[in-house]
Amino acid sequence: KAGVTQTPRYLIKTRGQQVTLSCSPISGHRSVSWYQQTPGQGLQFLFEYFSETQRNKGNFPGRFSGRQFSNSRSEMNVSTLELGDSALYLCASSGTLDTQYFGPGTRLTVL
Amino acid sequence: GENVEQHPSTLSVQEGDSAVIKCTYSDSASNYFPWYKQELGKRPQLIIDIRSNVGEKKDQRIAVTLNKTAKHFSLHITETQPEDSAVYFCAASRRRSSASKIIFGSGTRLSIRP
């Protein structure tokens, strides 16, 4: 099976802009989770989608949102970007056994 | 709220020696504990996991132990090799429960000295 893919891999934006990141899970996986990874903060959970519904949510402001499509592909949107949003954004998909498989990540730089 | 504490944050061991990373979780209903390894510039990858009905699991040079009473679990790497250098994350979740999310520890940067 093909692994989890994310696009784009790198992104540079300026403060105030918005950005949309995409994640395609492993075929057959219905759960997609998003994480923000920064050097000092480890893996911070953003949200999880399952069958097009947000099932869990982390402690991030409303500027961070997501959605999932009927084919399980998921998008994450960040509006009104701030310098502190610069990070590696990872998505992970899981099937019935709950093990999470991570994508390569999108490195977002906010200038 | 749910929390996973991981120690130490950095660890340096001589090649061939053993390394131990410890995690403590707060949610007593957690029943699934995976460990991930993230090499520099790469994605986290699952290396071993343990369910709450098992006290210990081993896979070649790596092993994980779980103490449900104390709510802590540990990763043991024996006969360390240079390729073991990476950041390791522990995590805890309630398996197959829609009411809980997987919580990660803050990571341990393991360096293997030649």
Side-chain angles (χ1 to χ4, degrees), chain A residues 3-5 9 33 35 37 41-43 45 48 55-58 88 90 96-105, chain B residues 32 36 38 41-46 49 51 87 89 93-107:
Chain A
V4 179
T5 58
R9 294 293 313 278
S33 298
Y35 297 87
Q37 186 173 35
Q41 297 296 321
L43 287 163
F45 174 76
E48 180 205 5
R55 185 160 72 171
N56 287 298
K57 190 176 188 303
L88 179 67
L90 291 159
T96 56
L97 294 180
D98 297 327
T99 300
Q100 298 212 329
Y101 297 89
F102 284 86
Chain B
Y32 174 59
Y36 287 83
Q38 187 176 27
K42 296 189 177 181
R43 72 190 76 185
Q45 293 203 312
L46 180 76
D49 57 14
R51 317 287 178 186
V87 178
F89 293 96
S93 74
R94 299 180 195 176
R95 182 170 175 261
R96 296 196 178 183
S97 167
S98 62
S100 180
K101 51 189 176 289
I102 187 166
I103 306 295
F104 283 87
S106 54

Side-chain angles (χ1 to χ4, degrees), chain A residues 5-81:
Chain A
T5 58
Q6 291 185 244
T7 57
R9 294 293 313 278
Y10 303 90
L11 208 48
I12 299 175
K13 293 285 188 178
T14 56
R15 280 179 297 175
Q17 288 187 309
Q18 74 166 15
V19 66
T20 299
L21 314 181
S22 180
C23 173
S24 292
I26 291 172
S27 177
H29 285 188
R30 295 164 65 187
S31 169
V32 175
S33 298
W34 288 88
Y35 297 87
Q36 182 192 66
Q37 186 173 35
T38 55
Q41 297 296 321
L43 287 163
Q44 300 294 309
F45 174 76
L46 282 154
F47 29 66
E48 180 205 5
Y49 285 86
F50 181 85
S51 294
E52 302 180 66
T53 301
Q54 187 180 88
R55 185 160 72 171
N56 287 298
K57 190 176 188 303
N59 298 320
F60 277 79
R63 300 186 296 107
F64 292 82
S65 63
R67 59 177 175 168
Q68 186 179 36
F69 302 94
S70 58
N71 62 358
S72 294
R73 188 178 71 85
S74 178
E75 287 182 348
M76 189 191 95
N77 185 76
V78 187
S79 62
T80 320
L81 284 166

